[in-house]
Amino acid sequence: MSWFGFGFNAFGQICVQEKSVQEETSDAVGEVKVSVPVELRSHVDHSCCLKTCQIRASWSRRACLHESRCVWLAGFSASSISNDTRGCRDAIISESHLTLAFPDRIESWDVQRKDKTPLWSMEIIPQSESSGIWIFECTEHQKITTNMLLHVFCHFHTGVNLPLVPGGYIASKPPIFRSLAPHLQAKSLALGGDHVILLTAPGAVYSWGLGSHGQLGHGGLVSEEEPRTVEALWGVPMSSVAAGGWHSVCISEGGDLYVWGWNESGQLGLPSRGLQKAPQQKKAQPTELSDVSTPEEEPHDGDKHEEVFISIQAFPALLDVNPSSDFQRASCGSRHTAAVTTSGCLFTWGWGEYGQLGHQTFNSLDEPRRVEFFKAKDLHVVDVVCGPWNTFTAAVKKGVLDLKNT
Amino acid sequence: MESLWSKLSAALPINEEQFPLQFSDKVESSVVEMLTRSRHQLYSTTRSNNQTLYAQVVLDISWERLNTGTWRDVDKDWRRLYSYGCLFKVAALCRESPSEHEILQAVRTCDMGLLMGAAVMDNILQVFVRILQSEIRKTTKEETDYVEAKMSLKMKCHTFSKRMKIVVPRVPPIKEELAVERIKCPSLESFNTKYLVPLKPVILEGIIDHWPALNNRPWSLEYLRSVAGCRTVPVEVGSRYTDEDWSQTLLTINEFIDKYILEKVQDSQSGERAVGYLAQHQLFDQIPELKEDIRIPDYCCLGEGDEDDITVNAWFGPTGTVSPLHQDPQQNFLAQVVGSKYVRLYSPEDTDKLYPHQSQLLHNTSQVEVENPDSERFPKFVRAPYLECVLQPGDVLFIPVKHWHYVRSLDVSFSVSFWWS
């Protein structure tokens, strides 16, 4: 399995380009914006990152979780971070914090400083893997405003699932630990720009946080302090959730994709007013105020129809993807979305200014488009993880996959 | 002849070391790194084929931070960051003999920084935009002379489009018993005793006759174009801010005048003219040249606040702009400079008959369409007593704090409001 990356690379978090010293006019754009997917190389031994089993990305960094239970960082001042990460099971990274989950503890480090001890940590009393109940204590070390000690009973899921931790979750800004009521049966959690999406064991979706751009999916622009069910999805069991800067995505057990929130760059895959149309469709007098009445010139279409642009989608909408596909995984950047189908295709849409859509252009898109790079190289995409302005995908050679299945 | 770039760089610190980049802890070091790279490029002698790149990264990341949370809570440092991004972008655009298009882009970038950012380096964007504007004026003098002649004619004979729905009479007749009182140049004491203390509306005549805007530099479309035509301003599009299809956009003053005042461009499929309104914008902070043409009314000194706390807004738009019935938490002097406006006033005592919206966002706005009230939904409204007037150029209407007011422009209109306490 190989990992590929494309999009924002100003800190070398995707790849560091070899540059000759004499070259003065370097391809500055190519360094900062990677528009063609690049296979990730390990900084340790310059071989392919075959042993990487998971990637996490923040705006300026990338964290690789290796099979060897170590975490490697790439990107902005990555070399100066010298944590002992042996035995680490999971990690999440924000612009200011790196949180690591070990079998017996969870630690959160301030990634901008060279502290000897983590900013916050929590002990986990490990139980046998098959046990249904975990009991643990949580204490906070230095610099946290509230001091708490709690005993919580919760169900144990195979593997740690950051940002979920026993009793709650790790937030991207202080207070680091936020508690979650056990009755919610938290299964997985996605942190958006200023909002949170939660998937529960029975397949229900909850949301809370900032609602100003419809990203909570409750039908309005009101923010919520406590988890609230996304009622519009009631009755459809969901299998995964993802959250971007101001938008949210979830996938049903049946493989359907639902989107809601802000669509200013087409990140919902719905028609977006702000986007440039392709040159052949451009009218003689493009205006900034392209409004509801601008008809699309379709040669086969006889009558003019009004195109409706969606700026904010406050209720979840089912996304129509062409060709029709079953989705199994999705991830969101700050203003773009990427999703993997069960047949191994990667679709991307939304903000593309830094090449993060992988279509080898810097255009933004307001409808899902397949990333042809992987199909052309006979690669079957199995996973996708987005940083705010870039995208990382895991893929295997189709031949390998067939072998495995025989 | 000094090049544009030498004029701009004269406004900048002489070297990298003197160029300050100080931010609070809230701004992550990775973001500061981007700024540092931009600053380095600014002073570097090696040509880079894409100097706007790092500036754009700074703009993009600060734009995202500005849009996170509520505007009120946005850390000032993110707004400063945005201004720095604008600075670097302008420098990149103007470095090597920029075309007119690039200069206009640079002006727009300055305006975005002035509108959304916070002043940095002694408000350097204001300095930059002045330099850039004089560059544009040099090249477009001949063009403007010709267009000016055509435009002044157009302003004089304003005609209605047949497609426009006329629901209400063009100039409503003012009933004498409902007319707002008028008084010419009252003394401070007289105004205070008769109107401010009892919170009684009045039209003050003759108190802005000395404004350059009504005198030696009379405001007209041509004048506004010449002073600020290429400047970007926020425009409200849609009949009224309580409508579903209401939105805000950014246009240059030239584009706004062409599209919404002179109706040169038709973009509405249904044939109805869309209304655009440059409303409630602190234009005079953005364009100091226009600030020179107005004065703060002396009567504002009767308030408790400082002169610095007075909010001055511009209201510039075509016929038919409507401000729905609403109330403001401060005293208001509404000065009419160009064109005329119909204004209706309701006392705060009669709020119960005005059916304010329930929502937090619109609780200071009435649900009633004043000139076309739905008497079934709002039966008490017709019984609410009111005062009304038509403001002409030179009039200043005193709207006491919390007094409900409804405004409709009767022709191309430019008003200046002063909110004071």
Side-chain angles (χ1 to χ4, degrees):
Chain A
M1 186 175 81
S2 305
W3 280 88
F4 295 81
F6 41 98
F8 184 60
N9 187 44
F11 299 98
Q13 62 264 60
I14 295 174
C15 58
V16 181
Q17 294 191 350
E18 311 293 330
K19 219 175 29 181
S20 69
V21 184
Q22 284 90 352
E23 233 178 284
E24 290 220 328
T25 49
S26 53
D27 181 14
V29 180
E31 270 179 43
V32 175
K33 307 181 180 188
V34 174
S35 59
V36 180
V38 157
E39 196 167 346
L40 298 182
R41 295 188 184 281
S42 160
H43 291 248
V44 182
D45 55 12
H46 295 285
S47 62
C48 297
C49 276
L50 291 168
K51 299 206 180 81
T52 300
C53 53
Q54 193 49 269
I55 297 242
R56 304 277 183 243
S58 68
W59 183 67
S60 66
R61 296 181 182 89
R62 166 187 33 120
C64 289
L65 279 79
H66 276 210
E67 265 173 18
S68 57
R69 304 283 196 216
C70 277
V71 174
W72 296 103
L73 289 187
F76 180 62
S77 67
S79 53
S80 68
I81 296 162
S82 55
N83 308 59
D84 183 1
T85 62
R86 280 169 299 180
C88 181
R89 297 298 170 94
D90 199 1
I92 50 167
I93 186 164
S94 72
E95 204 48 31
S96 49
H97 295 87
L98 172 67
T99 304
L100 304 168
F102 297 91
D104 60 340
R105 72 194 185 282
I106 298 174
E107 295 174 348
S108 199
W109 298 77
D110 183 331
V111 83
Q112 296 185 104
R113 294 157 29 153
K114 295 176 187 171
D115 294 334
K116 297 278 186 235
T117 49
L119 193 67
W120 174 92
S121 72
M122 169 200 221
E123 276 177 40
I124 303 171
I125 301 166
Q127 299 269 295
S128 72
E129 300 228 337
S130 58
S131 158
I133 311 266
W134 279 37
I135 306 167
F136 64 94
E137 275 184 22
C138 162
T139 58
E140 289 188 57
H141 297 232
Q142 68 203 89
K143 292 198 188 179
I144 306 297
T145 49
T146 56
N147 215 352
M148 30 176 234
L149 189 74
L150 34 86
H151 298 265
V152 179
F153 291 88
C154 73
H155 283 283
F156 166 62
H157 297 281
T158 46
V160 188
N161 196 2
L162 288 179
L164 281 176
V165 295
Y169 65 100
I170 304 295
S172 21
K173 48 182 187 260
I176 306 246
F177 175 83
R178 316 276 172 102
S179 65
L180 275 179
H183 75 83
L184 290 170
Q185 297 179 274
K187 181 172 167 199
S188 76
L189 188 131
L191 294 171
D194 240 318
H195 68 293
V196 187
I197 307 290
L198 174 72
L199 176 70
T200 67
V205 176
Y206 287 73
S207 66
W208 65 97
L210 192 72
S212 59
H213 292 83
Q215 62 264 60
L216 299 184
H218 302 305
L221 306 177
V222 178
S223 301
E224 299 279 342
E225 281 188 18
E226 296 295 323
R228 183 178 158 188
T229 328
V230 180
E231 283 174 21
L233 298 173
W234 192 255
V236 183
M238 297 297 158
S239 64
S240 69
V241 292
W246 300 267
H247 69 297
S248 314
V249 166
C250 67
I251 301 178
S252 69
E253 279 173 7
D256 287 327
L257 203 79
Y258 292 82
V259 294
W260 63 97
W262 205 10
N263 193 42
E264 50 77 45
S265 286
Q267 59 263 57
L268 299 187
L270 304 172
S272 176
R273 186 176 294 222
L275 295 200
Q276 293 284 332
K277 295 296 174 193
Q280 59 267 30
Q281 286 180 299
K282 243 186 186 162
K283 300 175 95 62
Q285 180 67 277
T287 75
E288 281 173 60
L289 304 165
S290 65
D291 64 9
V292 209
S293 57
T294 316
E296 288 296 297
E297 238 112 68
E298 308 267 357
H300 56 272
D301 208 341
D303 36 0
K304 273 186 181 180
H305 43 257
E306 274 192 20
E307 180 150 12
V308 178
F309 292 102
I310 294 178
S311 163
I312 286 179
Q313 176 66 31
F315 280 113
L318 174 60
L319 191 63
D320 251 330
V321 180
N322 201 4
S324 178
S325 318
D326 280 345
F327 289 97
Q328 51 111 338
R329 172 85 87 244
S331 183
C332 301
S334 67
R335 298 186 260 165
H336 76 289
T337 313
V340 182
T341 65
T342 48
S343 56
C345 293
L346 177 73
F347 282 81
T348 59
W349 59 97
W351 194 42
E353 186 76 38
Y354 289 88
Q356 62 265 55
L357 298 185
H359 302 299
Q360 312 189 12
T361 68
F362 302 118
N363 296 331
S364 299
L365 282 177
D366 60 2
E367 63 181 320
R369 184 180 296 174
R370 188 170 59 195
V371 181
E372 296 303 330
F373 174 88
F374 297 98
K375 197 158 165 36
K377 295 210 182 263
D378 229 18
L379 288 165
H380 184 106
V381 178
V382 295
D383 201 0
V384 68
V385 175
C386 292
W389 296 0
N390 46 29
T391 310
F392 298 92
T393 50
V396 294
K397 275 276 182 199
K398 275 219 159 75
V400 171
L401 201 66
D402 293 336
L403 268 174
K404 278 188 176 173
N405 291 339
T406 53
Chain B
M1 177 89 120
E2 232 189 328
S3 76
L4 174 61
W5 175 242
S6 56
K7 286 185 206 160
L8 289 171
S9 55
L12 289 167
I14 25 168
N15 56 32
E16 221 173 308
E17 287 72 40
Q18 308 272 19
F19 193 113
L21 283 178
Q22 298 279 52
F23 297 95
S24 71
D25 287 340
K26 284 240 176 84
V27 179
E28 296 95 345
S29 27
S30 48
V31 178
V32 179
E33 167 68 19
M34 274 293 123
L35 274 172
T36 311
R37 291 191 199 177
S38 295
R39 178 181 63 180
H40 182 74
Q41 266 187 339
L42 190 62
Y43 291 93
S44 151
T45 44
T46 52
R47 288 162 174 244
S48 171
N49 58 358
N50 201 336
Q51 287 201 325
T52 51
L53 199 55
Y54 290 136
Q56 197 57 49
V57 173
V58 173
L59 285 172
D60 286 334
I61 189 69
S62 52
W63 184 91
E64 289 196 352
R65 298 280 193 262
L66 290 181
N67 279 280
T68 300
T70 51
W71 179 254
R72 257 170 300 153
D73 300 331
V74 172
D75 199 275
K76 190 170 178 193
D77 265 359
W78 291 117
R79 295 174 55 206
R80 288 177 61 233
L81 199 78
Y82 187 82
S83 292
Y84 274 111
C86 292
L87 189 170
F88 291 125
K89 184 166 178 182
V90 169
L93 284 168
C94 298
R95 196 73 178 263
E96 326 259 336
S97 309
S99 63
E100 190 188 323
H101 175 74
E102 283 168 321
I103 300 179
L104 286 172
Q105 260 192 292
V107 171
R108 185 188 159 88
T109 305
C110 287
D111 277 326
M112 292 307 294
L114 290 168
L115 292 173
M116 303 222 313
V120 297
M121 294 169 65
D122 284 331
N123 210 355
I124 192 164
L125 292 177
Q126 195 66 260
V127 175
F128 271 12
V129 81
R130 188 168 299 155
I131 295 171
L132 291 166
Q133 273 195 275
S134 57
E135 197 72 20
I136 295 173
R137 282 200 193 101
K138 276 196 291 191
T139 54
T140 60
K141 178 87 179 51
E142 296 86 42
E143 259 185 58
T144 338
D145 286 338
Y146 169 70
V147 180
E148 261 180 42
K150 284 183 75 180
M151 272 194 307
S152 54
L153 196 63
K154 193 121 196 203
M155 221 192 132
K156 281 172 195 158
C157 36
H158 184 90
T159 52
F160 273 100
S161 161
K162 284 191 195 128
R163 287 160 295 186
M164 186 167 154
K165 284 194 296 193
I166 302 170
V167 177
V168 294
R170 194 182 168 212
V171 182
I174 303 297
K175 304 178 192 61
E176 211 182 298
E177 63 274 19
L178 300 176
V180 175
E181 261 181 54
R182 283 175 175 269
I183 184 167
K184 192 164 167 83
C185 298
S187 66
L188 286 177
E189 204 188 310
S190 167
F191 172 74
N192 192 43
T193 320
K194 293 192 203 166
Y195 303 103
L196 180 54
V197 169
L199 295 178
K200 185 174 178 194
V202 65
I203 294 175
L204 304 165
E205 294 175 337
I207 67 164
I208 58 170
D209 288 350
H210 62 288
W211 279 15
L214 288 166
N215 249 303
N216 49 317
R217 291 195 294 274
W219 283 1
S220 64
L221 294 183
E222 312 92 85
Y223 176 76
L224 292 170
R225 281 193 199 260
S226 72
V227 170
C230 59
R231 304 298 301 274
T232 297
V233 291
V235 173
E236 301 182 355
V237 180
S239 323
R240 44 180 67 78
Y241 68 76
T242 43
D243 278 355
E244 259 181 25
D245 60 0
W246 182 89
S247 68
Q248 288 180 301
T249 188
L250 294 163
L251 296 175
T252 63
I253 287 185
N254 281 331
E255 287 167 345
F256 172 66
I257 292 176
D258 284 339
K259 192 173 174 101
Y260 290 104
I261 311 265
L262 299 178
E263 305 155 58
K264 275 189 189 166
V265 182
Q266 276 302 334
D267 76 329
S268 181
Q269 194 187 24
S270 58
E272 276 183 37
R273 184 174 65 102
V275 175
Y277 197 7
L278 202 181
Q280 199 175 320
H281 176 54
Q282 293 179 44
L283 188 69
F284 308 99
D285 287 341
Q286 186 192 356
I287 306 177
E289 291 89 335
L290 289 176
K291 197 172 190 173
E292 307 278 303
D293 294 344
I294 62 173
R295 300 281 180 271
I296 304 213
D298 293 334
Y299 304 90
C300 292
C301 75
L302 294 168
E304 289 141 7
D306 283 330
E307 191 170 304
D308 296 335
D309 297 329
I310 300 175
T311 307
V312 185
N313 276 311
W315 306 78
F316 174 38
T319 313
T321 61
V322 170
S323 294
L325 188 65
H326 68 285
Q327 56 176 189
D328 296 313
Q330 289 187 284
Q331 315 280 12
N332 184 359
F333 281 129
L334 181 63
Q336 193 62 21
V337 184
V338 175
S340 54
K341 274 184 161 150
Y342 170 71
V343 184
R344 197 186 287 191
L345 299 166
Y346 290 84
S347 164
E349 291 171 358
D350 299 311
T351 302
D352 60 300
K353 303 182 188 69
L354 304 179
Y355 304 89
H357 284 266
Q358 302 285 38
S359 73
Q360 162 74 352
L361 199 63
L362 291 173
H363 71 278
N364 69 336
T365 306
S366 161
Q367 297 177 68
V368 187
E369 269 186 53
V370 169
E371 290 185 281
N372 189 20
D374 184 338
S375 48
E376 274 179 37
R377 287 178 68 200
F378 314 116
K380 291 193 274 186
F381 182 72
V382 282
R383 291 200 308 261
Y386 63 87
L387 295 174
E388 59 180 5
C389 58
V390 171
L391 295 180
Q392 301 288 358
D395 288 343
V396 177
L397 173 65
F398 168 59
I399 304 176
V401 57
K402 292 286 194 184
H403 247 75
W404 295 87
H405 49 289
Y406 164 88
V407 186
R408 174 166 63 90
S409 64
L410 303 174
D411 37 37
V412 174
S413 158
F414 202 133
S415 324
V416 181
S417 66
F418 300 86
W419 292 345
W420 55 287
S421 299

